[in-house]
Amino acid sequence: MTERTPLLHYRLSTSVNESEMRAAPAGQTAEQHPVIPRRKSTHPRQPQKLSTFFGVVIPTLLSMFSVVVFLRIGFVVGQCGLYQAIAMFLVAYFIISMTVLSVCAISTNGALDAGGAYYMISRALGPEFGGSIGIMFFLANVCGSALYVLGLVEAIVDTFGVPEDKTIVSSAYQVLPSGYWWSLLYATAVALLCLLVCLVGAHIYAKATFIIFLVVMFVLGTIFISFFAVRPRTIPLPGAATPGPIANGTGPGPPTIANFTGFKLDTLLGNLLAEYTVDYTTGTMMTFATVFAVMFNGCTGIMAGSNMSGDLKNPSYSIPRGTITAVIFTFIIYNLLSLLVACSCDRILLQRDYSFLRDINIWNPFVTIGVYSSTLSAAMSNLIGASRILYALARDDLFGKVLSPAKRTSHSGNPWVSVIISWFLVQLVLFSGKLNTIASIVTIFFLLVYAAVDLACLALEWASAPNFRPTFRYFTWHTCVLGIVGCAIMMFLINAIYASASIAFMLLLLLLIHYLSPTSSWGYISQALIFHQVRKYLLMLDVRKDHVKFWRPQILLMVSNPRSSVGLVTFMNDIKKSGLYVLGHVQLGDLNTLPSDPLQSQYDSWLSLVDHLNIKAFVNLTLANSVRHGVQHLLFISGLGGMRPNTLVLGFYDACVPEDKLIVPSLSTSRSTDPSNPSHDPEEEPPLFHFAPLRGSSEEKEFGGEFGDGKVLGPQEYVAVIADAMKMLKNVVLARYFNHFDRAQALSFAGKGAVYVDVWPVNLMRPDSCSYVDTCSLFLLQLACILNMVRAWRKARLRLFLCIEQGRSLRGTEEKLGQLLKELRIKANVYAVPWDEQVALHWQRQGESGRKRPPQDASDADKDEEKRRAQEEEENDDDYVNSFPSNATRLSDEYLSAVNRLILEQTRPPPAVRFLYLPRPPADTRRYTTYLRQLDLLTQDLGPTLLIHGVTPVITTDL
């Protein structure tokens, strides 16, 4: 009886990537770095002795041939004809060749280790892609192993099993019981055989690889000889004794016989064009896409040699030459077989008997032996490969303790636990028995792996990494793109649903690993690509092309100790408006007296702080002999190209006791009772909080705290920092009372619309100037508007306060300001605040009879005389020659306290934050302490307040 082999047997996806691992010696899992020497394994390693032929050519040939060469050639030619068959092989091998070039390039850029494609992808693209692809690679090999086991069992049952339909003529060899449970029993026995081989060690299979290769090549030789040696004959078709409704268009019923004609021109002409028909095993109509999908399954296996790099004498020489040789050889064999089949076999024979090569062979069992050998070889190699991938995943700790048992190995280095886990999963897959579904999933998974390899090579090429120097140079980024596109098209051509699901599954694993896995030391290609692109765009960011319409705040926030600055750091993250945000820190010291740079060990803690607070900021630390010089350094060097800080933010210099906002909640109770006690167990804190503890004394300033050596920033130096920034044309922001600021609490009433942001655009320290449209005032409005544009602050209401004296037009001033706000597209409520009483205090001199400001109705001559007398008096007063805010005025404490009370009285309910006008420091450096004291009086008990001084135009009414 003619052996019947269903189409699902032909869809056996060749396990390309894991047959690569079939001869991988146990224990070869040491991680390879480009500079750091390879880690030595605790297990003895076998010497690298395999040549190109034994280490690359043979594994690749066996992976690519498998059963396809015996069972699919007739199916492809019979359905699509010789012309389309050759075109299919050209397209399929073009896709494969593009991936081969990428495999050769990556494999010659460094030694590979256990894991094959997983190892290449993970070390090139990082743990996220590597882990997700590795899991899919593992599952593909598990399913592939089960697929080949079931295929072998079906081939055995078709030959030796008792048919369920007794009407079919049986042979004397059909003695095995058939049925689902019997097939499952046979499959379990075959899987156990594979398990025993893998438990003993992969070296046993490696020794048998050459014997299997000889068997397959011998069977192929007999097939080629049979085309010339066997005489024309008539061959009965499978299922001829069973009537069926399926017809192929040649007659009223299904044909029962077909001819092997030998080499005839008529036979060739009849097989040139396509003639798609119903598949006799599944009853489905064949198309170009379905035939191409079936055929393509047998063209994979290209990565078998790359995973053998640890056993090769010269991997960089053997992998490209051996892989390309195997690909060319299989391409020639497939096309030559297609031509011989088309010249000698009737179309009916090719369409109705997929195992016809056995029937025309000089000795029929030869083909059966070849099918059994190649299928068993593929099943074992997939199981071995799956165990090696699982072991590599477990060793890399990408999934934590879930895979930790898979790390165990025997004394010889064989990962026996991984082998058992892989076998158990194979056994579970055997229960399904749905070979078509399994084959499609396996093929799609392998195609996704190939696409990932092309992507890895493309990323390395585009990143222009200096260490990417493969000795194989016959590739470009164009070949990588073609490989990716080809693999993607094939995935969706085979099964669009499975392709979409596999990609979604890979992305889910990628996100899971990204958020759960620890940082690896493999390197991230994404960082190299980002660096490459950022450098290019920074060069394009020309500061000469800056325009006020596109101005945005680029902030340098000076932080003394992050423990007391959490509120300010998070608030300034809201106000940056997608601009540059740099956290700066100055450590006092002299590098000449230190053995090494003390800042290098602190960067990890600062970057962990950025991650912990979930802010988008850079970190810039500097070492200087004073805080002032350190801030100057940061203002000079922070940023790059057109991305440089334009705004300096400092915590206010006051006597507020700092509060540690980075304390572990479990420790907050004990430490809050004694904030001055710095003693605590560092083991109880998260590792990211490696900052110096706060002193907790009243001498500690929010900005001017300790900087490592006990020196404290003085008020004179603090104001000098402000003056230096203004000299460098940097905007300055002083933030007060943010040490207790809680963003969530401040916005807790946003749902009720009761959150306010107050803006006082007038220079309150210079009451003789009532201008509210100067550069600094507009800068205040811009920052307040930016804050109001942040999603969390959109429900906050802006309140704009104008200080107006009697005799001035209140209504006219409000209307003018309202028109300005309308032109600036700023939505705010304007409030006029009379402050005559406060201004009167301003003109009173301490210890004098109370020189008053000239009345509003005084003549111009009287005003000029008053100004002249004031200037003469000031010139005779050395202490006030360069005083602020002008040379003609002096501020009293009573006036500042009165203005402070005015602000408190006018803001009911209290706002979440206030924006005040910050005047320039006095030119006389002797007045710095007085300047700081008066700022303190002005902002006393105001809550979170920003004192802002702008030096550059930031608002325009132009389109």
Side-chain angles (χ1 to χ4, degrees), residues 75 188 220 240 347 375 403 434 701 803:
F75 164 73
T188 303
L220 273 178
R347 178 66 68 96
T375 308
L403 299 180
K434 298 180 180 179
K701 313 300 181 185
C803 295

Side-chain angles (χ1 to χ4, degrees), residues 60-61 89 200 299 392 396 440 444 450 456 459 484 611 625 657 702 736 762 788 810 852 949:
T60 306
L61 282 177
F89 282 114
V200 174
C299 299
D396 289 337
S440 299
I444 288 173
Y450 295 162
I484 295 172
D611 296 336
N625 56 2
V657 177
E702 185 175 339
R736 187 171 192 186
V762 178
N788 197 213
L810 294 179
K852 304 234 180 200
H949 185 88

Side-chain angles (χ1 to χ4, degrees), residues 585-905:
H585 174 73
V586 179
Q587 179 164 331
L588 299 182
D590 187 357
L591 196 59
N592 291 330
T593 62
L594 298 173
S596 62
D597 183 7
L599 300 178
Q600 297 303 316
S601 61
Q602 300 180 20
Y603 272 101
D604 286 342
S605 294
W606 283 86
L607 295 176
S608 297
L609 175 74
V610 170
D611 296 336
H612 174 71
L613 298 179
N614 193 25
I615 61 175
K616 298 178 181 179
F618 299 94
V619 175
N620 208 347
L621 312 180
T622 188
L623 186 70
N625 56 2
S626 69
V627 175
R628 181 182 181 183
H629 289 162
V631 176
Q632 290 177 359
H633 295 168
L634 294 178
L635 287 175
F636 278 125
I637 67 175
S638 293
L640 194 63
M643 294 188 66
R644 292 185 178 276
N646 55 31
T647 304
L648 175 67
V649 181
L650 308 175
F652 198 78
Y653 194 96
D654 57 15
C656 293
V657 177
E659 180 180 349
D660 195 338
K661 296 294 185 178
L662 296 181
I663 298 178
V664 181
S666 60
L667 301 178
S668 59
T669 304
S670 60
R671 294 195 59 178
S672 61
T673 56
D674 185 11
S676 62
N677 181 17
S679 62
H680 62 279
D681 187 3
E683 297 296 332
E684 298 181 10
E685 282 194 339
L688 60 88
F689 300 151
H690 291 166
F691 300 108
L694 298 174
R695 292 190 314 166
S697 66
S698 60
E699 298 177 0
E700 179 83 34
K701 313 300 181 185
E702 185 175 339
F703 173 74
E706 290 191 9
F707 285 82
D709 60 355
K711 295 181 180 179
V712 179
L713 178 69
Q716 191 80 8
E717 186 178 6
Y718 177 79
V719 180
V721 170
I722 301 174
D724 292 341
M726 294 182 183
K727 292 177 184 178
M728 299 169 67
L729 298 180
K730 306 294 183 183
N731 310 300
V732 178
V733 178
L734 305 184
R736 187 171 192 186
Y737 295 119
F738 278 87
N739 52 339
H740 300 293
F741 179 78
D742 188 337
R743 179 175 179 268
Q745 183 178 359
L747 296 173
S748 59
F749 297 102
K752 303 178 182 179
V755 177
Y756 295 97
V757 175
D758 289 358
V759 181
W760 295 75
V762 178
N763 185 356
L764 299 175
M765 296 178 66
R766 186 171 179 178
D768 58 330
S769 173
C770 59
S771 174
Y772 52 85
V773 290
D774 62 359
T775 300
C776 187
S777 298
L778 295 177
F779 188 81
L780 264 75
L781 290 175
Q782 180 76 317
L783 288 188
C785 181
I786 288 174
L787 180 64
N788 197 213
M789 295 170 66
V790 177
R791 175 175 299 181
W793 293 86
R794 283 179 183 173
K795 292 187 178 181
R797 300 178 182 177
L798 295 184
R799 297 189 299 193
L800 193 60
F801 294 91
L802 294 180
C803 295
I804 306 296
E805 295 181 63
Q806 289 182 358
R808 299 181 184 273
S809 175
L810 294 179
R811 185 175 182 85
T813 305
E814 288 186 59
E815 291 179 353
K816 185 178 179 181
L817 181 58
Q819 181 62 28
L820 176 63
L821 294 177
K822 184 177 180 180
E823 293 177 357
L824 297 177
R825 292 90 60 203
I826 297 177
K827 184 178 180 180
N829 297 323
V830 181
Y831 298 90
V833 180
W835 67 330
D836 296 81
E837 297 180 2
Q838 290 76 18
V839 173
L841 291 173
H842 167 67
W843 294 106
Q844 294 178 359
R845 288 291 187 118
Q846 299 274 344
E848 295 182 352
S849 60
R851 184 185 61 179
K852 304 234 180 200
R853 182 177 180 179
Q856 296 291 335
D857 56 352
S859 64
D860 292 339
D862 294 338
K863 291 181 180 180
D864 293 340
E865 179 64 19
E866 183 68 17
K867 289 181 180 179
R868 186 186 62 79
R869 291 174 54 191
Q871 290 175 358
E872 291 177 355
E873 183 176 353
E874 290 296 333
E875 290 174 358
N876 296 328
D877 191 349
D878 293 337
D879 292 339
Y880 289 89
V881 169
N882 294 316
S883 63
F884 72 95
S886 70
N887 293 333
T889 61
R890 180 197 302 190
L891 295 177
S892 64
D893 293 348
E894 289 81 359
Y895 164 75
L896 294 171
S897 299
V899 173
N900 176 262
R901 290 192 299 271
L902 173 67
I903 297 175
L904 289 173
E905 293 171 357

Side-chain angles (χ1 to χ4, degrees), residues 6-7 97 168 223 306 388 437 479 497 500 655 674 746 829 893 959:
L7 177 63
S97 299
I168 298 179
I223 290 174
S306 61
R388 296 304 186 269
T437 303
T479 61
I497 296 177
S500 302
D674 185 11
N829 297 323
D893 293 348
L959 182 62

Side-chain angles (χ1 to χ4, degrees), residues 31 37 40 106 161 169 195 233 249 295 304 353 421 427 738 771-772 815 845 862 881 901 937 950:
E31 191 171 313
K40 293 184 178 180
I106 296 179
V169 179
L195 173 65
R233 63 178 63 175
M295 180 275 301
D353 186 3
I421 295 175
Q427 185 63 44
F738 278 87
S771 174
Y772 52 85
E815 291 179 353
R845 288 291 187 118
D862 294 338
V881 169
R901 290 192 299 271
L937 290 175

